[in-house]
Amino acid sequence: MHDSSGPHERPGTHEFHEIDAHELRAGQRLLLPDGEDSAEIVEVDTVLDDFEQPALYFAVLDNDMNLRVAHGTRVKVSRGKAARPADLLFSGPPASARGDADDGASAGTAAASPGTGSGPGPGAAPAPGVPTQPNADPAPKDPVAVPRAPRRGPSEITLDTGDVVIVPGTAPAGLSGPSPDLLTRIPAQDGEPEDLIRDIDQAHPGRQAVNELAGRLARGINVKSGACLKNLRDLAFELYVGQDDADRALKVADLLAVLPYDGNPARWASIESALGLASHLARATGDDGRAEAYGGLLRAPDTAETDPFRAKMAERVRERALNEPNLYDSEVDRAVASKDHAEERAWRILRLSSLLHLRAHGGSRAFAQDELDRRIEVELGAIRA
C-alpha cells in the first residue's frame, strides 16, 4: 500500500500506537478523531487549570485544523516509516558525525523543552531571544523555538550513467532576532508584562471582552505559546477598536513587536497583525520613525529564507498577498445581508488587520497609501458604529 499525498493520510500507511496527551510533540502524525485520516502536528500549546496543572492541549495540524485534547486522554500517533536510501541521502550526516556541538544542541533542546508553566513571574529571567529592554543585548536564541542551522550545504553526486545530480543541503530560514537599530525606536516598558495586563483589566471594568482576555493573560504570559500570542493580539485590537484606548493598545502590541520571526507561520500571524496595528497607532501620533520601525520588523520574513528556490517561491506568495489582498468582501457582504452584526464585526476586524498590514508593509500596487488610509478609517467607523 502506498502513502497518500497531502496533509491527510490514511492510518494504514503508518503504524500507529497510543500515547498520553502530554506526550504530544510537533512532528508526530496524529490519528484524527474520525479514526481514518491523520495529520502532522505543527505545534502543541498547553493550557493550565487554576491549580497551574495541565488541563488541555491545543494541537495545530498541517491541514489547518486545530484539535483540543484533554490531559489524560490516550491518542494514537505514527511510529514513522523505516528509513529508505533516499531518506538517508537527504537527511544530512548521521548523528555520530555531527560532533559534540550537535550533542550539546540536542541536550539544550531536551533541557528547554516547552514546559507547562504559565510564563515568567516577577524576577524571572526574560524569555531567550526576546529582549525586554530595547537597548539590551539580544539573548541567545531558544533552541526550542528556533531550528538549528543547516548541517551541510549542497553537494554533487555523479550517477553510474554519468549524470550529475545536485543534492540541496538543509537550508531552513535564516532566523535572527529583531534589529537592535529598530528596537531602539520602540520605548521600553516599565514593570512586568503581567502588571500591564492587570492595569488594563482595572481600567476597563465591566468590559467583558477585555476582562476575559486580561484574565487569561494576567496568570502569566508565555511567549512560546501560540494561543497566548493570539490572546495578546486580540486584546490589542479590542482595546483600540472596541474601547478606543489607543495608548494601552500600543503597549500590548509592543509585547509582540519585539518578538523575533522564528519561521512558524501560526505564531507569526499574531505578531504580524500586532505590528500592523502598532505602526498605525504610532503614525497616528506623528511618530513616523517608530512607525517605520514596526514596518521594518514586519518585513523580517521577506529576507529570512536562505534557500534560493524557497526564497523565490516565498516572494511570489508575498507579492500576490500584497497586490491581490483578501479583504473578505464576500464574507462581510454575506454577514450584512443576514444582519448578523457579530459576524460582520469579526470579518471587518480581519479586513482591518489586512489593511493595516498593507499600510505598514509599504503598500501595494492594488492600493496607494492614501487609499489605504481612507479604507482604514472607513473600517474603523463601520466597526465602531
Side-chain angles (χ1 to χ4, degrees):
M1 180 178 293
H2 60 82
D3 294 339
S4 59
S5 59
H8 295 281
E9 290 196 23
R10 297 293 176 181
T13 62
H14 291 263
E15 183 181 355
F16 287 79
H17 68 292
E18 284 193 351
I19 62 171
D20 287 328
H22 73 271
E23 298 178 273
L24 288 172
R25 298 290 183 271
Q28 294 172 334
R29 180 158 288 275
L30 176 65
L31 183 63
L32 302 183
D34 60 13
E36 296 181 356
D37 293 330
S38 64
E40 184 174 325
I41 299 174
V42 176
E43 181 182 3
V44 179
D45 290 329
T46 303
V47 179
L48 304 180
D49 61 19
D50 292 339
F51 295 94
E52 302 296 322
Q53 297 300 316
L56 194 67
Y57 303 93
F58 281 95
V60 181
L61 308 179
D62 64 353
N63 60 356
D64 298 324
M65 184 179 185
N66 294 335
L67 281 183
R68 296 173 299 175
V69 186
H71 181 73
T73 301
R74 297 284 290 178
V75 295
K76 290 186 176 182
V77 296
S78 170
R79 295 182 183 274
K81 295 175 290 186
R84 299 170 300 172
D87 296 330
L88 298 176
L89 177 65
F90 288 91
S91 63
S96 59
R98 292 172 192 164
D100 295 337
D102 200 19
D103 293 340
S106 299
T109 302
S113 58
T116 56
S118 58
V130 184
T132 55
Q133 300 293 334
N135 296 324
D137 292 332
K141 299 187 185 73
D142 187 343
V144 173
V146 181
R148 287 183 294 226
R151 294 195 182 110
R152 61 177 174 85
S155 59
E156 295 184 356
I157 297 178
T158 303
L159 305 178
D160 292 340
T161 59
D163 296 327
V164 176
V165 177
I166 298 179
V167 180
T170 54
L175 308 175
S176 59
S179 167
D181 175 62
L182 297 177
L183 289 176
T184 56
R185 305 184 206 175
I186 302 175
Q189 297 194 24
D190 297 328
E192 296 293 331
E194 292 80 6
D195 295 335
L196 169 63
I197 300 300
R198 295 186 188 99
D199 171 70
I200 291 171
D201 195 22
Q202 294 174 3
H204 294 276
R207 301 295 183 177
Q208 182 178 358
V210 174
N211 301 151
E212 183 179 346
L213 289 167
R216 299 176 197 166
L217 293 167
R219 297 176 184 176
I221 295 176
N222 180 5
V223 297
K224 296 178 184 177
S225 167
C228 180
L229 300 188
K230 184 179 184 302
N231 286 336
L232 284 170
R233 178 266 181 199
D234 290 346
L235 179 59
F237 269 80
E238 177 59 31
L239 287 170
Y240 177 56
V241 177
Q243 311 302 323
D244 200 14
D245 188 346
D247 180 58
R248 290 186 177 88
L250 183 55
K251 290 180 179 180
V252 174
D254 277 346
L255 297 178
L256 293 170
V258 297
L259 300 179
Y261 173 67
D262 63 1
N264 186 325
R267 285 167 46 82
W268 179 248
S270 297
I271 301 172
E272 180 181 60
S273 183
L275 284 167
L277 175 62
S279 179
H280 170 73
L281 295 175
R283 193 165 51 251
T285 62
D287 194 343
D288 293 336
R290 184 174 176 181
E292 180 52 38
Y294 292 122
L297 295 171
L298 181 66
R299 293 187 291 271
D302 296 0
T303 56
E305 184 57 67
T306 58
D307 178 79
F309 176 76
R310 291 179 180 270
K312 185 65 176 178
M313 298 307 296
E315 181 182 2
R316 291 181 181 178
V317 173
R318 182 170 60 253
E319 289 298 317
R320 182 169 183 177
L322 292 174
N323 300 316
E324 302 176 31
N326 180 10
L327 298 181
Y328 308 100
D329 294 332
S330 61
E331 290 84 355
V332 171
D333 292 343
R334 185 167 57 249
V336 171
S338 64
K339 298 183 179 181
D340 189 337
H341 300 299
E343 190 74 5
E344 178 188 350
R345 184 179 189 274
W347 285 116
R348 285 192 181 276
I349 288 178
L350 285 176
R351 177 190 281 177
L352 175 64
S353 180
S354 296
L355 292 171
L356 293 176
H357 172 267
L358 292 175
R359 185 64 172 86
H361 195 281
S364 68
R365 290 195 295 268
F367 304 105
Q369 300 286 50
D370 291 344
E371 175 62 13
L372 285 172
D373 289 336
R374 185 190 71 81
R375 284 175 172 259
I376 288 170
E377 292 305 316
V378 168
E379 284 308 310
L380 282 172
I383 295 171
R384 290 169 172 171

